Structure formats: C-alpha cells, structure tokens
Amino acid sequence: MSRSDPSTMRFDEVIDRFGGAAFKRTTPYMEFRNMKMKHLITVAGLAIYCLGMNPVQAHGNAKPQHGGIVQKANDLSFELVVQADGATIYMMDHDKPMATKGITGKLTVLQGTKKSEADIKEGGDNTLRVMGVNLGKGDKLVAALSNVNGKSMTVRFTIK
C-alpha cells in the first residue's frame, strides 16, 4: 500500500490532504483574536498615516488683512469689515487684490428673527460697499454676489 492511499494514512495526514485549514483544530476565540489583530494593525497604520499628514491651506492664508472676518469661496477670499454706516467687503484672489468692477449683489442680514437686506455695490479697487445696515454681535450675513468672474456665488459670515 502506498502512502497516498487514504486508508493507510494517519488521521492528521488525511485531514491535511483532503480538508486543509477547514478541519484544523481552532476555536472561535482564536479566529476572532486573529481577525481582531489584523484589524488592529490596519487601524494603527491608518492612524499613524493620518497623524503624519500636514494640514494644507490652498491658495493663501485666511488671516484678516483689514481686521475683519475672512471667508473663502471658489478659491477667493472675502473679508467683511464692519463699519458704523454699513460694511466693506475686500476681495482677494490668491493673496492679491481682485478687481470688483461690475460685481453687484445683495447682503441679507439675520438678526435673531429679524431679516433685512441691502444692496452691495462697487467700492473701488478690491472693495465692495454695503450701506445702510447696522451690524452687531451674533448677526448672520449672506452675501449673494453676481458677476464674480462671470459666475454667481454666495458667501456666509457670522459676526462674533
């Protein structure tokens, strides 16, 4: 008789030949522990990768240059500076002043439950002016601008 004949093989040889890993003696706990270790290694690797990433600030910084509130939309920076008679919005494109010629819009001001609107008009070089609004702490503003590089866009501000 040859050793390839199942009737002459030892039990563990038969299991290895015909059943392989399906008949090996493992407990559900051992399988869970092995699975858990694989996931742990994956999660640990992902965490180390994420911690190593540096935050990227695309297209310039978001620091106010005129003492206002800076928001970004479509790779443009908008800085809202509150004044006694209204507000001024400075527009920057990649940290360079952007011409505001032809840009118009409406500023919607939400003061609690009270809502008011004012027109946004050109103010010179890279500024837009809003006249006739009184702005204060906690106000939420929505500037709906048209003709910004041929597009319409919305910029949201919250006065803190």
Side-chain angles (χ1 to χ4, degrees):
M1 300 260 169
S2 77
R3 287 294 270 179
S4 62
D5 182 20
S7 64
T8 62
M9 295 175 134
R10 289 188 344 237
F11 178 74
D12 59 337
E13 291 175 336
V14 173
I15 295 299
D16 284 343
R17 180 159 180 217
F18 294 108
F23 290 106
K24 293 221 188 249
R25 292 182 180 148
T26 62
T27 64
Y29 172 74
M30 289 173 60
E31 290 178 17
F32 174 74
R33 190 181 73 198
N34 290 339
M35 180 182 70
K36 191 174 173 184
M37 185 59 71
K38 289 176 190 175
H39 289 292
L40 179 65
I41 291 170
T42 303
V43 169
L46 182 62
I48 290 170
Y49 173 75
C50 289
L51 288 173
M53 293 185 343
N54 292 325
V56 177
Q57 288 193 359
H59 308 294
N61 60 14
K63 295 180 182 175
Q65 297 179 358
H66 305 282
I69 304 162
V70 177
Q71 290 292 341
K72 291 192 175 244
N74 295 347
D75 292 336
L76 300 175
S77 295
F78 298 87
E79 182 178 357
L80 176 82
V81 179
V82 178
Q83 298 167 338
D85 61 342
T88 301
I89 299 174
Y90 293 89
M91 292 182 61
M92 304 290 281
D93 185 8
H94 299 95
D95 289 334
K96 295 177 185 160
M98 179 184 167
T100 58
K101 186 164 179 72
I103 297 176
T104 58
K106 284 216 177 285
L107 182 74
T108 304
V109 181
L110 301 170
Q111 297 170 321
T113 58
K114 185 179 162 190
K115 177 181 172 182
S116 61
E117 289 188 348
D119 290 329
I120 299 174
K121 298 179 182 173
E122 295 176 38
D125 298 335
N126 69 323
T127 62
L128 298 169
R129 287 286 294 148
V130 182
M131 304 295 286
V133 291
N134 292 323
L135 302 174
K137 226 177 199 179
D139 292 351
K140 295 180 184 199
L141 296 88
V142 179
L145 303 171
S146 58
N147 203 20
V148 179
N149 292 334
K151 299 177 183 175
S152 295
M153 68 174 53
T154 302
V155 185
R156 298 175 189 278
F157 299 95
T158 300
I159 300 176
K160 295 181 180 181

